[in-house]
Amino acid sequence: EAQVTQNPRYLITVTGKKLTVTCSQNMNHEYMSWYRQDPGLGLRQIYYSMNVEVTDKGDVPEGYKVSRKEKRNFPLILESPSPNQTSLYFCASRRTGATYNSPLHFGNGTRLTVT
Amino acid sequence: DAKTTQPNSMESNEEEPVHLPCNHSTISGTDYIHWYRQLPSQGPEYVIHGLTSNVNNRMASLAIAEDRKSSTLILHRATLRDAAVYYCILRDEDRDDKIIFGKGTRLHILP
């Protein structure tokens, strides 16, 4: 089944303790992206990647890192999490190239709480 | 970036048609109009997209105004499972890297 898989689904951590949220897709998509969703603010893009070893900042990249060493994986790294990074996070992927309007496929989300 | 404006929330009765509006007065000629929806406790899912002509698929219809400054997502017969947040977004065919979502419209379906 074609899907985007995020892990973990729920995570509670403390301020300053480094964490990684993994994202993997099995559709051979070139493009991957991370969003955060907060009440009243909608979905905001953190980082995106057009292909392997190519990443770029979205609208709210501060406090986050990403890497794209393999096509299928796009982990989100919080080196020193803070309470304002408590949020619901979504990973998404899509094809690029000739199918530039191909739809985004989203994971089921990771709910992160930083205390 | 071209932006979209949607009502914060709407209500509809079950088994009746629903028309969800979206204004995009600054749309450019290369922007496609996409709709996604987010069911409770799930990630957003693609619904439909179009450029100029009206579009139909198994989930919904998309009606695009002649001047393209607005569009309407039509659910022909709403069910309780259609209760979700619906997002209208614009995607530029020439620069499709940053894909920006707004706050969407929360659709309530009354039984």
Side-chain angles (χ1 to χ4, degrees):
Chain A
E1 180 190 351
Q3 58 186 4
V4 177
T5 304
Q6 295 178 229
N7 280 299
R9 289 295 308 276
Y10 301 92
L11 179 58
I12 301 173
T13 190
V14 296
T15 299
K17 186 176 180 182
K18 180 179 179 179
L19 66 91
T20 299
V21 183
T22 64
C23 174
S24 180
Q25 49 93 6
N26 62 0
M27 295 167 280
N28 202 36
H29 286 170
E30 295 83 6
Y31 179 98
M32 296 185 76
S33 181
W34 277 102
Y35 290 86
R36 62 178 287 175
Q37 186 172 40
D38 302 289
L41 295 176
L43 279 160
R44 293 181 293 167
Q45 193 172 37
I46 303 170
Y47 268 95
Y48 62 93
S49 169
M50 296 296 288
N51 215 323
V52 176
E53 302 291 359
V54 180
T55 63
D56 211 341
K57 296 177 181 177
D59 292 320
V60 288
E62 295 77 21
Y64 304 94
K65 283 175 58 177
V66 292
S67 71
R68 189 89 183 274
K69 296 191 172 90
E70 307 163 282
K71 200 171 189 180
R72 65 182 293 126
N73 296 321
F74 190 45
L76 180 69
I77 303 154
L78 285 72
E79 294 270 3
S80 183
S82 62
N84 65 12
Q85 292 178 297
T86 292
S87 188
L88 179 58
Y89 291 86
F90 288 101
C91 180
S93 72
R94 67 172 176 86
R95 289 189 64 191
T96 58
T99 54
Y100 49 72
N101 257 288
S102 63
L104 281 166
H105 297 257
F106 282 84
N108 279 329
T110 295
R111 185 167 292 283
L112 172 65
T113 302
V114 184
T115 61
Chain B
D1 294 328
K3 292 194 182 340
T4 63
T5 305
Q6 300 177 254
N8 288 334
S9 67
M10 291 183 62
E11 262 184 14
S12 181
N13 294 319
E14 195 177 9
E15 298 187 5
E16 290 187 358
V18 181
H19 290 236
L20 294 159
C22 181
N23 287 318
H24 27 79
S25 57
T26 58
I27 192 170
S28 74
T30 53
D31 282 330
Y32 280 73
I33 302 155
H34 283 241
W35 284 81
Y36 285 75
R37 73 177 186 180
Q38 186 174 16
L39 303 170
S41 302
Q42 293 187 27
E45 62 175 348
Y46 167 80
V47 177
I48 200 167
H49 78 275
L51 182 63
T52 56
S53 307
N54 294 344
V55 184
N56 300 297
N57 67 20
R58 63 175 179 81
M59 289 180 74
S61 295
L62 176 60
I64 301 172
E66 198 168 331
D67 63 5
R68 300 208 329 125
K69 293 184 186 299
S70 65
S71 61
T72 303
L73 181 71
I74 302 165
L75 307 178
H76 294 286
R77 196 163 168 266
T79 70
L80 294 176
R81 287 177 296 179
D82 291 320
V85 178
Y86 287 78
Y87 298 95
C88 166
I89 67 170
L90 301 180
R91 286 178 59 178
D92 186 339
E93 67 173 0
D94 292 328
R95 191 169 182 273
D96 197 23
D97 46 12
K98 285 191 174 186
I99 301 175
I100 300 172
F101 284 75
K103 299 177 188 178
T105 296
R106 183 172 295 277
L107 176 64
H108 302 273
I109 304 295
L110 305 175

